[in-house]
């Protein structure tokens, strides 16, 4: 396939990107902040959104953003043409965001990220997203006056994880470590809403064993919060028998520990989740309130069932639909059976897909007084 040859020139990147800007007059440079990469039958297309450190749109000291296009037979050639099309040298040491188009990411997203990681000039905390939208239209929007890259990186930080919690390091590092460690990884998806002129989180694309295995919607990805190892806050709605339907709760603390015990048939997997909630709205109807002694046991039982439903739904997606352990049980298997993992890591997704998962879930509702 010709596109595979388009990615082949990875090694040339360190020579294409400029060195430390401390030694160069900043007036002669444009700093790349966002980079879009796509592919067609002619090669690789790129669009680089640069910040001109000395130009100002309104004379108020705010730097302009400048979009520069390029194309070529591979990534190196495309970036080189972008530099030729720019009025100044483009440098990449301040790159904040890499957008990979759907024409490229399904087969080559990890190669694209590995390509940039090989350059010392690109910082390792860059966010990487996938999108099928028009890059020129996306780059133009500036919600609340923010540049595109500022808006998207802020959105990722506040809405869904912008980096894998399963493997240490940034999104950029995840792709490269996947080859070494054998764990699945994901990239955030974004979608441009042309009518509202805004960017929305659209879910994630999941990769495993170096290849794309499928996508998860933003709604489905919300369930992943219940598998995270660190505290995170989010809303949960559920029916509480006798007190109301679709009642709102705020999860203020949720932690999950994953275990993998080797058996004669493979592994028995277990997820232990502890979550604490506060009540977001009062019960409705039948003159029942949160002051009733029966409310909190009923609410905790309802939340336990809802949390288990969400965990089982995400586990089903991982085991049956995608057959890829993006949840992170593989790390538990590696920790408990390092020798087995060393010999069988490439088979883990297959083992994971057929391994039973049990859930040990504890939910508590914190009251504002002694209502319990």
């Amino acid at each position: 396939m010709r596109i595979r040859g388009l990615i082949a020139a990875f090694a040339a990147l360190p020579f294409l990107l400029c060195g430390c800007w401390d030694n160069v007059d900043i007036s002669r440079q444009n700093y790349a902040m966002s980079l879009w990469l796509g592919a067609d039958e002619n090669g690789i297309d790129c669009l680089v959104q640069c910040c001109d450190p000395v130009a100002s749109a309104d004379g108020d000291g705010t730097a302009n953003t400048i979009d520069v296009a390029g194309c070529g037979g591979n990534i190196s050639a495309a970036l080189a043409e972008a530099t030729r099309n720019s009025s100044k040298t483009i440098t990449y040491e301040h790159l904040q965001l890499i957008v990979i188009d759907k024409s490229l990411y399904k087969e080559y997203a990890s190669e694209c990220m590995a390509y940039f990681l090989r350059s010392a000039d690109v910082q390792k905390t860059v966010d990487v997203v996938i999108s099928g939208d028009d890059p020129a239209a996306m780059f133009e929007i500036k919600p609340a006056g923010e540049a595109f890259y500022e808006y998207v990186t802020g959105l990722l930080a506040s809405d869904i994880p912008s980096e894998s919690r399963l493997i240490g390091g940034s999104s950029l590092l995840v792709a490269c470590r996947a080859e070494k460690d054998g764990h699945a990884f994901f990239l955030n998806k974004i979608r441009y809403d042309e009518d509202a002129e805004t960017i929305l989180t659209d879910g994630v694309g999941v990769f495993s064993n170096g290849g794309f295995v499928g996508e998860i919607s933003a709604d489905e990805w919300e369930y992943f919060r219940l598998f995270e190892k660190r505290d995170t806050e989010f809303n949960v709605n559920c029916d509480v028998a006798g007190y109301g339907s679709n009642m709102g709760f705020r999860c203020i603390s949720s932690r999950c520990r994953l275990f993998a015990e080797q058996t004669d048939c493979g592994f028995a997997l277990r997820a232990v989740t502890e979550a604490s909630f506060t009540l977001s709205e009062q019960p409705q109807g039948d003159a029942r309130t949160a002051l009733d002694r029966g409310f909190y046991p009923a609410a905790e039982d309802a939340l336990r069932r809802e949390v288990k439903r969400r965990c089982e739904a995400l586990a089903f997606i991982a085991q049956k639909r995608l057959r890829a352990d993006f949840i992170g049980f593989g790390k538990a298997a590696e920790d408990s059976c390092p020798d087995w993992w060393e010999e069988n890591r490439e088979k883990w997704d297959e083992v994971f897909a057929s391994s039973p998962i049990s859930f040990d879930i504890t939910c508590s509702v914190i009251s504002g007084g002694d209502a319990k």
Side-chain angles (χ1 to χ4, degrees), residues 128-186:
V128 184
V129 297
I130 53 183
S131 178
D133 296 306
D134 177 17
M138 289 191 294
F139 281 13
E140 280 183 5
I141 67 168
K142 295 184 179 180
E146 291 181 299
F148 168 76
Y149 66 88
E150 292 179 311
Y151 178 71
V152 175
T153 54
L155 180 70
L156 294 176
S158 61
D159 277 6
I160 60 177
S162 59
E163 61 183 24
S164 174
R165 307 303 182 192
L166 312 183
I167 307 173
S170 70
S171 301
L172 190 63
L173 289 177
V174 170
C176 298
R177 292 189 180 185
E179 294 296 327
K180 182 182 70 174
D181 295 340
H183 300 302
F185 68 94
F186 62 84

Side-chain angles (χ1 to χ4, degrees), residues 329-347:
F329 283 103
K331 188 64 171 66
E334 180 181 8
D335 291 342
S336 64
C337 305
D339 293 339
W340 181 93
W341 181 265
E342 185 65 26
E343 296 180 3
N344 299 279
R345 66 175 69 191
E346 294 182 358
K347 302 177 182 177

Side-chain angles (χ1 to χ4, degrees), residues 102-258:
K102 64 179 181 180
S103 62
L104 198 61
Y105 79 84
K106 286 190 175 182
E107 294 185 52
Y108 301 107
S110 58
E111 286 93 332
C112 288
M113 287 186 282
Y115 176 84
F116 286 97
L117 187 64
R118 287 195 171 101
S119 170
D121 290 323
V122 177
Q123 62 181 11
K124 296 179 177 64
T125 55
V126 64
D127 282 314
V128 184
V129 297
I130 53 183
S131 178
D133 296 306
D134 177 17
M138 289 191 294
F139 281 13
E140 280 183 5
I141 67 168
K142 295 184 179 180
E146 291 181 299
F148 168 76
Y149 66 88
E150 292 179 311
Y151 178 71
V152 175
T153 54
L155 180 70
L156 294 176
S158 61
D159 277 6
I160 60 177
S162 59
E163 61 183 24
S164 174
R165 307 303 182 192
L166 312 183
I167 307 173
S170 70
S171 301
L172 190 63
L173 289 177
V174 170
C176 298
R177 292 189 180 185
E179 294 296 327
K180 182 182 70 174
D181 295 340
H183 300 302
F185 68 94
F186 62 84
L187 293 178
N188 290 312
K189 290 181 63 186
I190 59 173
R191 174 170 54 85
Y192 172 54
D193 187 325
E194 188 173 2
D195 293 333
E197 291 192 339
T198 191
I199 296 291
L200 305 171
T201 53
D202 203 31
V204 297
V206 178
F207 294 74
S208 187
N209 293 322
F212 174 82
V213 295
E215 299 175 352
I216 300 176
S217 70
D219 291 339
E220 292 169 333
W221 186 248
E222 281 290 318
Y223 298 166
F224 185 80
R225 296 180 187 273
L226 295 166
F227 284 99
E228 290 200 79
K229 298 182 178 67
R230 66 178 189 176
D231 287 340
T232 182
E233 294 193 16
F234 53 93
N235 295 318
V236 172
N237 286 61
C238 63
D239 297 344
V240 180
Y243 291 89
S245 60
N246 201 34
M247 290 190 61
F249 295 87
R250 178 71 175 172
C251 181
I252 59 174
S253 174
S254 176
R255 291 193 176 187
C256 182
R257 290 171 293 156
L258 302 179

